Amino acid sequence: LAGAASGQVIVKFVDAENGGPFFAYVLPAVALPENLASRLTPVGACKGLPAGALALLFPLGEATDRLWSSVRESFGLTKAEIRLAAHLAEGLSLKEVADELGVSVNTLRNQLRAVFDKMGLNRQSELVRALTQLSSLTSAFGDAAALKPAIPVILASEGAAGGSAPPIKTFLAPDGRTVAWRDYGDPAGAPVIVVTPDLSSSLLRRGSHGVARELGLRLLVLERAGIGRTEPLKRFSFEAAAGDYLALHAEQALGQVQIVAFADGAPYGLLTAAGLGPLASRMLLVTGRRPGPQVERAEDAGNLMTLFWRRISKSAWLSDMVFEMLRRRLNRPQFERFARAAGAAPGDAAYLQAHPELIDFMVEYTREALAVSVRGASEAIRCAARPTALDLSGLSAQITLWHGADDAMTTPDEMKAWLGTRLREVRIVPGIGRFLGYSHWTEVMRWVAGEMEEPRGPD
């Protein structure tokens, strides 16, 4: 400080907990601005300090930590990954960082690859640019405690959604099987049972945990029998698989609940609602699918994914082989073709073009779903292909259907015919098809929370 021409020195500190850097001023105590000097005890103590006394001036902790805590929480980075990102943002090379931290360059390369995967980036220059942009944004937010948005933004990058998701939990079903599930949002919030499609794990889109928490919701997402880490049933059926949801409800003593079911999760959701009776207050079906044999239609021509599902339904015995091939060869280029085939409808194609990160999310939840076995996915296909009459005699929940206008797989009229008088309301969302559950996920949560009446157009 004595040799500094400016009369002040900036000192850099590193937070041992968060790994992010922050800065403080060292300056002569007599040079403190009056508004700061007057806060000392006793008032005006600077004037009575010994000659040469120094002041160490720290910014507010929440302001200095804002960028790094936001990056850590939003992208699921570890402390080591945050530390590496902070050093790279300062312009250091990997070799320089390795020398400073006393680790090998290969270790840092692995950490950097993980940072890229989690943040959806490809190059070091993109990381530095992203951190610079995020820094300017977090500075513009001011006091985070004073600015609490009604609905937090779900980040566009879906890479490593599992890194920011709640940990997997398990419980024992009445038959002794291990059942896996995730618990999103506020543990004391209004409980919502979320029923995912057949080829999905318990992983929800990045940011769902925070959105649910802000809305006062508790989202319970179960991995169905033979999917992910849930052990398969000895004999699979819609009723037996729905029994796991009823067991989760009892194990957690949930009481009154709402149910949201997506796509071919509809039968499990309906049977769960029927099993709960008056404890299921209302239910939302998003792009619902009715079970039963599939018939090819003339309008299916050109829609490869619709044709695939209709044909595998007719030859359900092939599903084991098909899903095993998918499991062994699962990669992003393959899934990009899969996603583009699924998004053949104009609205879906436009959504995927605007949100290419959706492919990363699809890869991740499918990997989780097939991590142990393809048995659950195959048994669900075979079960859905059979003529099925569900026992919904105990169903008392009010059912609402949201359906994309461009959905080629199942029409709202088919759902109406299947559910009959149990279906209280149908809302057709224009400009989207089978991707409705992706494009309107935040709106789904807002509807469940009672904060939204009509679905908007695609995000």
Side-chain angles (χ1 to χ4, degrees):
L1 178 61
S6 64
Q8 65 182 26
V9 173
I10 296 177
V11 182
K12 174 189 164 188
F13 294 84
V14 176
D15 186 329
E17 288 297 320
N18 298 325
F22 63 93
F23 300 88
Y25 281 107
V26 180
L27 69 163
V30 293
L32 279 172
E34 182 60 31
N35 66 323
L36 295 179
S38 64
R39 298 182 187 182
L40 296 179
T41 302
V43 175
C46 282
K47 297 176 181 177
L49 290 176
L54 302 178
L56 183 59
L57 185 63
F58 290 89
L60 288 174
E62 60 265 26
T64 57
D65 278 349
R66 192 173 299 136
L67 169 64
W68 299 108
S69 63
S70 295
V71 170
R72 185 184 66 250
E73 293 172 6
S74 298
F75 297 106
L77 300 189
T78 66
K79 293 177 183 178
E81 290 161 0
I82 282 286
R83 189 175 296 113
L84 171 61
H87 282 299
L88 295 178
E90 295 172 355
L92 298 182
S93 68
L94 279 181
K95 177 67 167 59
E96 291 169 329
V97 178
D99 291 341
E100 181 167 333
L101 298 181
V103 298
S104 71
V105 172
N106 284 338
T107 296
L108 294 184
R109 285 200 182 101
N110 291 333
Q111 291 176 3
L112 184 59
R113 191 175 300 113
V115 171
F116 287 165
D117 288 343
K118 292 178 180 181
M119 296 185 69
L121 304 174
N122 296 305
R123 290 182 293 276
Q124 189 170 321
S125 59
E126 293 179 354
L127 173 64
V128 174
R129 184 169 65 249
L131 291 174
T132 302
Q133 293 169 345
L134 288 171
S135 179
S136 64
L137 285 174
T138 52
S139 298
F141 289 155
D143 185 359
L147 295 174
K148 184 178 180 182
I151 302 293
V153 176
I154 292 182
L155 296 177
S157 177
E158 298 288 358
S164 61
I168 289 286
K169 299 182 178 182
T170 61
F171 69 95
L172 289 181
D175 61 1
R177 291 178 305 112
T178 297
V179 177
W181 64 294
R182 278 188 172 104
D183 199 352
Y184 288 83
D186 182 358
V192 183
I193 294 176
V194 178
V195 185
T196 56
D198 280 336
L199 205 56
S200 300
S201 68
S202 57
L203 193 62
L204 298 181
R205 295 194 73 171
R206 174 177 291 281
S208 298
H209 194 37
V211 174
R213 189 168 51 245
E214 292 290 337
L215 289 171
L217 298 175
R218 181 188 182 191
L219 308 180
L220 299 96
V221 192
L222 184 145
E223 298 185 341
R224 277 200 293 281
I227 291 290
R229 282 132 293 197
T230 295
E231 292 183 301
L233 289 158
K234 290 183 178 179
R235 184 174 179 81
F236 189 94
S237 68
F238 286 133
E239 291 78 10
D244 286 347
Y245 292 95
L246 298 176
L248 175 62
H249 180 278
E251 200 267 344
Q252 291 294 302
L254 296 178
Q256 198 87 23
V257 297
Q258 298 182 78
I259 298 174
V260 177
F262 293 88
D264 40 23
Y268 311 97
L270 288 165
L271 285 167
T272 300
L276 293 175
L279 290 178
S281 59
R282 62 176 185 161
M283 179 175 182
L284 177 62
L285 293 178
V286 183
T287 60
R289 304 285 185 240
R290 60 176 179 80
Q294 298 289 313
V295 178
E296 287 188 36
R297 308 163 179 166
E299 55 266 33
D300 293 338
N303 194 319
L304 296 179
M305 193 52 56
T306 299
L307 286 173
F308 168 77
W309 286 114
R310 295 213 197 283
R311 290 176 181 176
I312 200 172
S313 173
K314 289 193 298 184
S315 304
W317 58 274
L318 287 172
S319 58
D320 284 324
M321 181 179 67
V322 170
F323 290 134
E324 188 60 43
M325 290 173 59
L326 177 65
R327 176 173 178 256
R328 292 178 181 276
R329 300 177 57 189
L330 190 59
N331 55 55
R332 195 185 190 284
Q334 180 189 51
F335 244 79
E336 184 167 357
R337 293 191 294 271
F338 177 88
R340 297 195 185 286
D348 291 341
Y351 182 79
L352 187 60
Q353 183 174 1
H355 299 271
E357 70 281 350
L358 177 61
I359 298 170
D360 298 313
F361 176 55
M362 296 169 74
V363 169
E364 191 166 13
Y365 72 63
T366 305
R367 278 179 177 156
E368 282 199 352
L370 303 179
V372 178
S373 169
V374 302
R375 180 172 167 181
S378 301
E379 289 179 330
I381 288 290
R382 290 194 291 270
C383 184
R386 296 190 292 266
T388 304
L390 304 181
D391 180 7
L392 302 180
S393 56
L395 186 64
S396 61
Q398 296 183 357
I399 300 176
T400 295
L401 172 69
W402 285 10
H403 216 80
D406 298 343
D407 192 346
M409 189 71 184
T410 307
T411 67
D413 287 339
E414 289 173 315
M415 294 298 292
K416 289 179 185 177
W418 179 43
L419 294 171
T421 58
R422 298 185 180 91
L423 189 57
R424 306 294 176 86
E425 188 175 8
V426 178
R427 294 172 177 173
I428 309 300
V429 183
I432 200 72
R434 69 169 74 233
F435 283 179
L436 174 62
Y438 300 128
S439 64
H440 287 70
W441 172 225
T442 302
E443 286 85 344
V444 167
M445 286 191 280
R446 291 179 61 195
W447 182 90
V448 173
E451 295 193 3
M452 180 180 181
E453 289 301 321
E454 292 295 333
R456 301 196 302 264
D459 295 341

